[in-house]
Structures are given as C-alpha cells and as structure tokens.
Amino acid sequence: MKTIFLTGGKLALICAVAAVALGFVNSVTAPKIEEINKQNLEKALKVVVPEGQPGDEVAVGQGAVASYYPVTREGIISGYILRLTGTGYGGNMNILAGYDLEGRVTAAVLMENEETPGLGKEAENQKYMEKYRGKGGKEPVPVSKKDLPAEAAESISGATVTFSGIGRALSEGSTYVKTKGGSR
Amino acid sequence: MNKEFIKGFFKENPIFVLLLGLCPTLAVSTRVINALGMGAGVIFVLLGSNIFVSLLKNFIPDKVRIPAYIVIIASFVTIVDLVMQAYAPSLSESLGVFVKLIVVNCIILGRAEAFANKNTLGSSVLDALGMGIGFTLGLLLISFIREVLGNGTITVFAFGNFDGVLRIPILYQAPVRIFSLSAGALLVMGFLLGFFKWYGSRKKGEQA
C-alpha cells in the first residue's frame, strides 16, 4: 500500500512540476503565436482584396465553407472573402479566397497546410493560384488535371491531389457565394 | 570522458548505426533547413531529458520510470514546439507535426533508458550532445542529397537580400522529383546504410 502511494505520488509530483513549467512557457509564447497568426491572416486578406474593405467575419460551417467576410466598397457589397477547408495530400488545408458577386474567384491564398514540400507546397506561391483566377462564374473551377491547358497541367504533375483539393473547395465556395447573391 | 561525446558522431551514430529515430528522419529530410531545425530541436530535448533523467535516477521509482521519462520528454518537446511557433513560424510550419512527434522519437527515450539512468550527469550531458549532433549530421547528409537531387536547391537561413535558397543550375530546372518523395527517402537511406555498413566492416577487417 505504502509503495503504491509513494510511487504514484512521485509520478504526480513530476507531472505537477512539468505542468507548472509548461504553463510558464505558454504564457510567454501564446501572445506571440497569436500575433503571428493574426499577421498572416491580415497579409492574406490584403492579397485577396486589393480594393474594398473586408467586414466582420461571419461563421458558416457548411461543407468546405468555414466562414466569410463581406467585402464592401463605398458602402455597397462588392464581393466576399471565404475561409475554406479543403482536403489535400497531407490532411486539411485552409484556404482564403476572394469572390466577386457572380462567384468568380478573384484571388486565393493557401494558408495552413501539411502538403509535401517541393510538390503540393508550391501552391503557397501566388503564381499557382492563377490557374483558378476568374473561374467559378460561367466557367467551372478546374478540379482535375484534364481541366487545365497542357502547360499548366505540367506544373501540377506529382501534386494533383493538392490541386483537386483546392479546386473542389474553391468550387464549393463559388456555389455558396452564388446563393448569397449580394446579401450580408 | 570524450568517448561518450564522440561515439554518437560515427561509431554509434543514431541514424546509421543504432537505426533510431528513422521515422522523422525519412519524413522531414526534404530540405536542409528542416534538418537543421529538427536537429536543434532534438539536441535540446535530448539534453533536457538526459539531464533530468540522470539527476532524478534515484528519485524515480523503477516501476514507473517509463511514464516518468515520457512526462519529462513531452514537457521539453512542448517547450520546443511553442518556442518554434512563436519565434520561427516558417520552420515550425515546414516541420509540421514532426516537432510534436519528437516525443516518440526513440533516440530520446532510448538514451534515457540505455544511458542517462545509469550514468552520471556529466557523461549524460556529453552523451546527449554527441547523439544529438550525430543525429543532426545524419539528417543533414540525407536532406542535402534529397534536396539537391530532388529539388535542385539548398535551403538554409535567409539573411539580408538572400532568400535562403541556393539554386543549382540545370538540376533546378529539371530535378529528379522522386528524391523529394517518400520513395526517394527510403532509397537514399538504403544506400547510405549500405555504405556505412560496408565502411564499418572494412575497418573491422583491417584491425583483425
């Protein structure tokens, strides 16, 4: 009996000391981490909306669409920014995408992801997103390699899962924007 | 004394000779900077856990030593993870989940169990540094080969106007993509292991 308490007690003591130490480290790093996340989001928002003012975030949680920001220019809604969740090669990918009122993709940024460096991760470059720009209105958003012209298809070789994942999320976002139809 | 430090470099190199910690090795060795970051993380955790395990070796009851080691290791890993997220966000992003997985990296528990709980503080520190540096060197070698062949670049720290990426002509335009993929990791690992085994056996032959 005594040994059980002694053994358990010692283990509990080690855990307690560890917890205190971690709490201290967390209190130092947490504000810093939050600031970095906020900066990344702000940078991405700037890329996605070159003009106009994004409003407050509205949570959605419907399929790939996690939330949206209505974009207003001179008081009138000129488009939306959507936060989308796509499925890539390495799990979930967070995408921030701007749409005009007709559901066309105006810009997109790949945020947190676990894609393969050198392949799927290339989607973090702005040039990559050119393949989706302007799509989603009359033309559908490309979701597979055969939807692309030969040269662009070449550039996603080896990372088609990432490409389709982003495409599908953007396409779902486009459908969502169409149903919003200019309302807040 | 120096023996404990040097052995991790070559004679008991954790990757090539002890075959410890292969999972993160194969996964993160796509870029040179990942190897440096991962190596630094592992050295820090290994040092912390070896110091505490060695100091507490008479305090920790034998029955619960593994849970106690895991708590100590997990605490250091969490510290590394938080600090990396706060001060090196891009590195933390590219290492992804593998920083957290240092917890189950068998090098660290292996050294705690096989070395630090039997030896003095001083030699445990030397063992941790030697093993950690040995791991980093192994990781550097693999990721150097993989990044150069698979991507045609060498990514190190960015400073000033230099974005941290050295591009190698010809290979950058036409890289051998397979080396960036998992299959390439296994391939490089296999050849290096073969080389180290051959080298080791040749040396032994000379002595005999």
Side-chain angles (χ1 to χ4, degrees):
Chain A
M1 200 63 185
K2 203 179 147 214
T3 45
I4 292 180
F5 278 115
L6 200 65
T7 319
K10 280 181 174 176
L11 196 54
L13 186 67
I14 293 173
C15 291
V17 172
V20 170
L22 287 182
F24 174 72
V25 174
N26 187 46
S27 70
V28 176
T29 54
K32 191 96 188 158
I33 293 171
E34 199 170 318
E35 196 180 302
I36 289 170
N37 287 341
K38 224 169 115 194
Q39 271 173 9
N40 284 345
L41 183 65
E42 264 165 29
K43 232 196 285 169
L45 280 175
K46 275 233 173 68
V47 174
V48 178
V49 223
E51 36 195 320
Q53 196 60 46
D56 289 332
E57 186 172 4
V58 184
V60 181
Q62 178 191 323
V65 185
S67 65
Y68 74 89
Y69 305 76
V71 180
T72 50
R73 190 150 33 135
E74 288 153 13
I76 313 160
I77 297 236
S78 62
Y80 298 94
I81 299 170
L82 264 55
R83 264 196 203 245
L84 301 162
T85 316
T87 314
Y89 190 70
N92 281 348
M93 309 180 285
N94 287 333
I95 302 149
L96 203 65
Y99 291 90
D100 63 12
L101 291 176
E102 277 94 62
R104 274 190 296 259
V105 179
T106 51
V109 179
L110 179 64
M111 311 276 289
E112 298 87 14
N113 67 85
E114 302 284 338
E115 300 308 289
T116 321
L119 294 165
K121 271 236 189 274
E122 297 292 308
E124 284 179 356
N125 298 337
Q126 259 310 292
K127 239 179 81 195
Y128 188 93
M129 292 298 177
E130 286 297 323
K131 302 181 191 67
Y132 303 105
R133 193 189 294 265
K135 302 291 164 69
K138 290 200 181 74
E139 294 171 81
V141 178
V143 291
S144 84
K145 209 166 158 178
K146 63 178 190 296
D147 299 338
L148 289 174
E151 199 182 317
E154 171 92 3
S155 73
I156 60 157
S157 250
T160 45
V161 176
T162 311
F163 181 77
S164 309
I166 298 173
R168 267 197 289 272
L170 288 177
S171 157
E172 220 176 294
S174 162
T175 317
Y176 181 79
V177 166
K178 281 176 197 162
T179 63
K180 291 290 302 173
S183 65
R184 246 169 221 280
Chain B
M1 205 67 169
N2 272 335
K3 211 180 75 215
E4 308 296 359
F5 182 56
I6 302 288
K7 69 171 192 265
F9 291 7
F10 198 86
K11 214 176 112 228
E12 285 184 35
N13 186 291
I15 295 181
F16 297 117
V17 181
L18 304 181
L19 298 182
L20 290 175
L22 291 188
C23 177
T25 305
L26 295 177
V28 303
S29 59
T30 44
R31 293 193 307 164
V32 171
I33 186 140
N34 288 1
L36 291 171
M38 189 74 183
V42 167
I43 291 174
F44 176 78
V45 175
L46 198 51
L47 197 57
S49 78
N50 260 15
I51 288 174
F52 275 85
V53 168
S54 169
L55 281 176
L56 296 173
K57 62 177 179 279
N58 295 324
F59 174 78
I60 297 172
D62 210 35
K63 269 188 198 145
V64 292
R65 63 179 195 285
I66 301 289
Y69 298 165
I70 295 284
V71 170
I72 294 171
I73 295 166
S75 309
F76 280 104
V77 170
T78 313
I79 292 174
V80 169
D81 188 33
L82 289 175
V83 169
M84 230 181 231
Q85 277 181 38
Y87 299 101
S90 61
L91 182 65
S92 149
E93 205 169 283
S94 68
L95 292 177
V97 73
F98 290 99
V99 177
K100 296 172 186 84
L101 286 180
I102 297 177
V103 176
V104 286
N105 188 323
C106 27
I107 294 176
I108 294 158
L109 188 61
R111 293 328 286 175
E113 173 72 6
F115 195 90
N117 71 350
K118 300 187 189 74
N119 288 283
T120 57
L121 178 63
S123 34
S124 295
V125 168
L126 289 175
D127 179 72
L129 287 175
M131 283 292 161
I133 293 170
F135 177 73
T136 312
L137 289 176
L139 207 53
L140 270 177
L141 181 62
I142 300 175
S143 55
F144 180 78
I145 296 174
R146 285 186 67 195
E147 195 184 353
V148 167
L149 293 177
N151 210 17
T153 55
I154 300 171
T155 313
V156 284
F157 296 100
F159 53 86
N161 292 327
F162 178 57
D163 65 353
V165 182
L166 288 166
R167 290 172 187 80
I168 297 157
I170 304 167
L171 264 179
Y172 182 65
Q173 277 86 27
V176 192
R177 280 276 183 235
I178 185 142
F179 284 104
S180 299
L181 298 169
S182 328
L186 289 167
L187 209 63
V188 172
M189 187 70 209
F191 276 116
L192 286 174
L193 268 183
F195 172 77
F196 275 79
K197 274 269 177 316
W198 168 77
Y199 192 82
S201 67
R202 210 184 59 145
K203 234 179 165 183
K204 234 176 252 159
E206 269 171 14
Q207 277 166 4

